[in-house]
């Protein structure tokens, strides 16, 4: 009877409530092949069975006239309970008037006594269950319009019902298409939808073989819940091949994370978040299409939880410290210390040094980055003021503004308040926004950046060339300074193509009258080449790594001394 799922033994549970033993036995005999039957001999016992912790009934067959507590009272109590109201009731009666009354009270159907045609009764029970299951999950939209698979909401509602009846080992799979946004960008949204629709069809075709159900969770992420397979490598590889045939966008790549559902008390959402964690692990890693949730990943998750838990204390106790890396202007006779970048460091009392590469992406995912960045901005501004008071010169500091901050409606206000606190001008605190923040959400971010520029803030486009930006981005997006990604500098002297690309970007920037900062300069050869090409500003280990404020002060003193000497020589 189960048209919903092809997996395992999953009989629906039916509660038969009748005070007469013979009736209970008769109904039991008719229905027990199809359903898992429980019995109660009066209303009170029925209510006890229905409210027991493990109760999961799909249907109640209810006699009306019973001692202790009759059927009407059962209907009434069920109707007044939000959960029990969802279970359909078929009343069993021989009285016409009682039929009408019970239907009015909320019963779904009735069966007349004596029970003569077992197949009719069975069919009625099945139909009522189908109707009610349809009704309770139909309230959720069942199908995702684009992929034709279930929607996420329906998928989980359905899964909840399913898992109580499954006794074979199951797996949760999360599938993601890397760089899917390229299809939309290169060929338009319509093409994107077509690819997703065909891909949904490919997944649907698989489901019969692996005995599973599937949904599209969001944009290019799909969930599958299926019987455990020995390996998914062939399946995902073949999906990947078929996916490549669906579109001209060559860079698409499929990856899958797998979690073997072990602990039944976990919520299914937890299974899928683990499968997703495994899937995220192989983002951008060529050669591995599938990954399983592992102990290592579990430990990583625990580590991340720890960081999330510790962040407030880290701020309060100054375990989070702002370091400063100098930026030098290189076009004059000697490199001149012009500004600095504020970079956060976490010196954890128990875990030791934690790289921002570890916790920044984590905090970007859960929004904590706003708190951390706000702290960094305030510290940086206060430091600029201290140096100004101490040395009489202003070293403007650039702070990193995460893509998440851009959508903080209070961003502008927060920044302005910070300037006011330290009596700084917008010129004294520049904002670094990573290139990919623009391409992720082009429209919204441009507006925000424009407003910030109207306030007088200077915007540096960070990591330019690291993502999938095109050169015309340079003319379309508002910014004041371009920070060339480190990878360019690294490759520049190793291959000619990279060198020419850097030259080209320099030419365009010069034409647009935008200064260029080169990041990650480590060697004198790189510095000389950049200077020759007309690069304005350089940041990198060649000059100095990021330093704590007191050590950075040494660089300022040196700069002051140089300036004094130059002044004396003039
Ligand atoms: P970024 O903004 O592009 O910062 C430059 C990174 O390059 C820094 O890494 C810096 O230490 C490193 N670096 C500088 N010169 C050299 C060099 O010559 N060679 C090499 N190999 N590396 C160099 P760091 O401090 O580990 O920060 C990594 C990223 O974390 C930053 O990249 C930035 O995106 C993010 N980040 C750091 N601090 C903050 C913060 O306060 N807020 C936000 N939102 N992000 C931050
Ligand atoms: Mg930066
Ligand atoms: Mg950078």
């Amino acid at each position: 009877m189960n048209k919903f799922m092809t997996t395992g033994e999953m009989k629906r549970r039916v509660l038969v409530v009748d005070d007469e033993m013979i009736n209970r036995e008769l109904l039991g005999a008719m229905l027990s092949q199809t359903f898992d039957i429980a019995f109660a001999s009066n209303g009170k016992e029925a209510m006890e069975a229905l409210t027991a912790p493990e109760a999961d009934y799909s249907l109640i067959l209810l006699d009306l006239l019973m001692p202790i507590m009759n059927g009407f009272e059962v209907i009434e109590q069920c109707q007044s309970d939000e959960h029990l109201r969802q279970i359909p009731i078929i009343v069993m009666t021989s009285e016409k008037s009682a039929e009408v009354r019970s239907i009015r009270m909320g019963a779904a159907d009735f069966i007349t006594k004596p029970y003569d045609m077992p197949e009719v009764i069975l069919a009625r029970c099945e139909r009522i269950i189908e109707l009610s299951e349809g009704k309770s999950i139909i309230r959720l939209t069942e199908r995702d319009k684009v992929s034709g698979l279930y929607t996420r909401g329906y998928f989980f509602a359905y899964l909840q019902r399913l898992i109580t009846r499954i006794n074979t080992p199951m797996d949760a799979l999360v599938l993601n298409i890397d760089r899917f946004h390229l299809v939309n960008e290169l060929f338009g949204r319509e093409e994107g939808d077509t690819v997703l629709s065909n891909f949904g069809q490919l997944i649907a075709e698989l489901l019969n073989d692996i005995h599973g159900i599937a949904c599209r969770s969001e944009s290019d992420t799909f969930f599958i819940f299926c019987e455990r397979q020995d390996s998914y490598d062939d399946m995902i590889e073949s999906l990947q091949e078929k996916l490549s045939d669906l579109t001209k966008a060559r860079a698409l790549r499929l990856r899958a994370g797998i979690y073997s559902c072990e602990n039944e008390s976990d919520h299914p959402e937890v299974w899928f978040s683990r499968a997703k964690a495994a899937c995220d692990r192989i983002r951008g890693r060529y050669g591995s299409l599938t990954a399983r949730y592992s102990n290592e990943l579990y430990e990583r998750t625990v580590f991340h939880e720890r960081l999330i838990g510790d962040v407030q204390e880290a701020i309060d106790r100054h375990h989070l410290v702002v370091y400063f890396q100098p930026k030098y202007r290189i076009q004059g006779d000697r490199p001149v210390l012009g500004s600095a970048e504020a970079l956060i460091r976490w010196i954890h009392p128990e875990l030791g040094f934690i790289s921002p590469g570890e916790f920044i992406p984590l905090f970007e995912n859960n929004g904590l980055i706003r708190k951390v960045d706000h702290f960094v901005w305030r510290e940086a501004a206060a430091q600029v003021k201290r140096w100004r008071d101490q040395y009489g010169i202003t070293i403007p500091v650039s702070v990193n503004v995460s893509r998440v901050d851009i959508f903080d409606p209070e961003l502008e206000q927060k920044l302005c308040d910070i300037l006011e606190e330290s009596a700084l001008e917008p010129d004294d605190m520049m904002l670094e926004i990573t290139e990919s923040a623009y391409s992720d959400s082009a429209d919204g971010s441009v507006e925000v950046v424009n407003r910030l520029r109207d306030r007088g803030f200077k915007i540096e486009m960070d990591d330019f060339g690291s993502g999938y930006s095109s050169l015309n981005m340079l003319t379309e997006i508002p910014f004041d300074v371009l920070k060339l990604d480190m990878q360019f500098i690294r490759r520049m002297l190793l291959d000619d193509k990279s060198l020419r690309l850097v030259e080209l970007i320099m030419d365009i920037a010069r034409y647009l009258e935008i200064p260029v900062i080169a990041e990650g300069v480590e060697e004198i050869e790189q510095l000389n080449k950049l200077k020759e090409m007309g690069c304005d500003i350089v940041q990198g280990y060649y000059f100095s790594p990021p330093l704590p404020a007191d050590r950075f002060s040494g660089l300022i003193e040196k700069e002051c001394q140089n300036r004094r000497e130059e002044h004396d020589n003039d």
Side-chain angles (χ1 to χ4, degrees), residues 394-495:
T394 301
I395 303 290
V397 169
S398 312
V399 294
N400 288 286
V401 174
S402 153
R403 74 195 70 211
V404 179
D405 299 315
I406 296 182
F407 297 102
D408 177 357
E410 287 163 29
L411 172 66
E412 240 178 289
Q413 198 51 49
K414 282 181 184 165
L415 288 166
C416 292
D417 290 349
I418 289 172
L419 291 184
E420 207 179 301
E421 258 172 55
S422 296
L424 301 185
E425 295 299 314
D427 267 352
D428 305 331
M429 197 162 96
M430 294 167 297
L431 309 177
E432 295 196 4
I433 299 179
T434 182
E435 168 213 272
S436 57
Y438 290 100
S439 43
D440 279 357
S441 48
D443 306 336
S445 49
V446 166
E447 234 170 73
V448 177
V449 170
N450 274 331
R451 276 206 306 276
L452 291 168
R453 292 179 87 217
D454 289 345
R455 289 268 195 160
F457 287 100
K458 297 276 181 296
I459 310 295
E460 299 180 3
M461 188 194 279
D462 206 353
D463 310 323
F464 179 78
S466 63
Y468 287 87
S469 52
S470 53
L471 286 178
N472 72 2
M473 192 172 169
L474 293 178
T475 56
E476 284 170 4
I477 280 172
F479 64 96
D480 304 280
V481 180
L482 191 151
K483 286 192 87 170
L484 202 51
D485 191 62
M486 230 175 274
Q487 297 305 324
F488 281 118
I489 312 304
R490 198 154 292 160
R491 287 198 300 257
M492 192 174 71
L493 296 179
L494 302 178
D495 75 274

Side-chain angles (χ1 to χ4, degrees), residues 37-266:
I37 310 281
F39 298 99
S41 57
N42 60 56
K44 188 161 169 286
E45 280 181 18
M47 290 315 298
E48 279 164 10
L50 288 167
T51 51
E54 74 289 349
D56 175 36
Y57 292 99
S58 298
L59 177 69
I60 304 167
L61 293 182
L62 183 67
D63 182 22
L64 288 175
L65 303 178
M66 293 178 296
I68 305 179
M69 182 176 171
N70 69 33
F72 293 114
E73 289 170 272
V74 173
I75 300 178
E76 204 169 71
Q77 287 204 9
C78 286
Q79 285 298 314
S80 65
D81 180 290
E82 202 186 329
H83 174 66
L84 297 180
R85 198 188 309 155
Q86 313 290 332
I87 308 172
I89 298 175
I90 299 181
V91 297
M92 305 179 291
T93 171
S94 44
E95 274 179 64
K96 264 268 167 299
S97 64
E99 275 164 22
V100 177
R101 183 172 161 211
S102 51
I103 298 273
R104 281 220 180 102
M105 285 174 71
D109 201 353
F110 56 85
I111 295 172
T112 38
K113 288 184 183 178
Y115 315 127
D116 45 7
M117 292 198 289
E119 59 281 10
V120 173
I121 292 178
L122 180 62
R124 271 198 177 182
C125 291
E126 289 182 345
R127 189 178 62 87
I128 292 292
I129 291 178
E130 278 189 16
L131 272 175
S132 100
E133 292 194 350
K135 204 167 77 194
S136 62
I137 35 191
I138 272 168
R139 267 182 250 121
L140 298 160
T141 317
E142 179 182 329
R143 295 282 166 184
D144 164 49
K145 284 205 189 68
V146 177
S147 68
L149 301 171
Y150 290 145
T151 60
R152 185 191 162 101
Y154 187 89
F155 178 79
F156 279 110
Y158 188 22
L159 208 59
Q160 282 289 13
R161 287 172 168 276
L162 220 53
I163 50 181
T164 55
R165 307 188 181 97
I166 295 174
N167 44 28
T168 38
M170 303 296 284
D171 285 343
L173 268 65
V174 170
L175 269 57
N176 185 279
I177 308 177
D178 262 349
R179 291 190 289 271
F180 184 77
H181 65 98
L182 283 180
V183 180
N184 288 336
E185 277 158 28
L186 295 173
F187 306 108
R189 237 199 133 71
E190 210 171 303
E191 163 91 3
D193 284 356
T194 310
V195 173
L196 288 175
S197 157
N198 291 332
F199 188 66
Q201 180 66 35
L202 290 174
I203 292 183
E205 283 162 15
L206 276 178
L207 295 177
N208 266 340
D209 294 338
I210 56 174
H211 296 166
I213 58 171
C215 75
R216 183 167 77 120
S217 160
E218 63 203 329
S219 56
D220 51 11
T221 303
F222 298 82
F223 289 177
I224 298 177
F225 181 67
C226 65
E227 265 185 25
R228 185 160 308 161
Q229 313 288 310
D230 293 336
S231 161
Y232 294 92
D233 292 352
D234 292 347
M235 175 180 121
I236 300 297
E237 204 159 303
S238 126
L239 261 183
Q240 158 81 57
E241 271 167 29
K242 290 176 185 160
L243 171 68
S244 314
D245 294 340
L246 293 179
T247 166
K248 293 194 283 294
R250 282 287 144 233
L252 296 195
R253 181 177 159 273
L254 190 63
R255 58 192 156 89
I258 303 144
Y259 176 72
S260 297
C261 311
E262 308 286 358
N263 192 347
E264 281 170 21
S265 62
D266 283 336

Side-chain angles (χ1 to χ4, degrees), residues 512-530:
L512 298 172
E513 298 181 344
I514 292 168
V516 175
I517 301 181
E519 271 191 283
V521 175
E522 297 180 352
E523 290 153 19
I524 183 117
E525 292 80 12
Q526 294 168 329
L527 177 72
N528 290 339
K529 193 77 204 169
L530 286 161

Side-chain angles (χ1 to χ4, degrees), residues 259-449:
Y259 176 72
S260 297
C261 311
E262 308 286 358
N263 192 347
E264 281 170 21
S265 62
D266 283 336
H267 193 277
E269 300 243 12
V270 173
W271 300 337
F272 281 90
S273 72
R274 291 188 183 148
K276 182 163 185 310
C279 186
D280 287 346
R281 247 343 233 161
I282 45 170
R283 170 179 288 147
R285 233 192 257 173
Y286 291 88
S288 34
L289 294 181
T290 62
R292 278 178 186 273
Y293 186 80
S294 62
N295 283 343
E296 178 218 347
L297 205 54
Y298 174 75
E299 275 155 27
R300 225 176 113 78
T301 315
V302 170
F303 175 61
H304 283 173
E305 292 302 319
R306 172 91 191 263
L307 296 185
I308 291 167
D310 286 353
V311 71
Q312 187 59 51
E313 187 180 319
I315 290 176
D316 296 342
R317 304 205 165 174
H318 289 89
H319 300 151
L320 280 174
V321 189
V322 179
Y323 275 42
F324 297 86
Q325 186 175 34
K327 301 181 188 177
Y328 283 88
R329 287 198 292 272
I330 57 165
Q331 285 302 331
D333 296 336
R334 70 163 174 95
V336 174
L337 173 63
S339 56
E341 175 173 9
L343 291 159
I344 193 155
R345 298 288 175 262
W346 191 338
I347 299 146
H348 195 287
E350 282 154 39
L351 304 172
F353 180 89
I354 308 164
S355 148
E358 185 85 50
F359 62 85
I360 297 282
L362 171 70
F363 292 166
E364 281 182 331
N365 274 335
N366 60 23
L368 272 177
I369 190 69
R370 285 192 192 177
K371 184 186 280 231
V372 171
D373 276 346
H374 191 244
F375 165 78
V376 174
W377 304 338
R378 288 187 63 184
E379 292 283 300
Q383 191 57 55
V384 173
K385 177 164 190 314
R386 277 196 289 275
W387 281 326
R388 174 192 285 172
D389 293 346
Q390 195 174 349
Y391 300 106
I393 62 171
T394 301
I395 303 290
V397 169
S398 312
V399 294
N400 288 286
V401 174
S402 153
R403 74 195 70 211
V404 179
D405 299 315
I406 296 182
F407 297 102
D408 177 357
E410 287 163 29
L411 172 66
E412 240 178 289
Q413 198 51 49
K414 282 181 184 165
L415 288 166
C416 292
D417 290 349
I418 289 172
L419 291 184
E420 207 179 301
E421 258 172 55
S422 296
L424 301 185
E425 295 299 314
D427 267 352
D428 305 331
M429 197 162 96
M430 294 167 297
L431 309 177
E432 295 196 4
I433 299 179
T434 182
E435 168 213 272
S436 57
Y438 290 100
S439 43
D440 279 357
S441 48
D443 306 336
S445 49
V446 166
E447 234 170 73
V448 177
V449 170

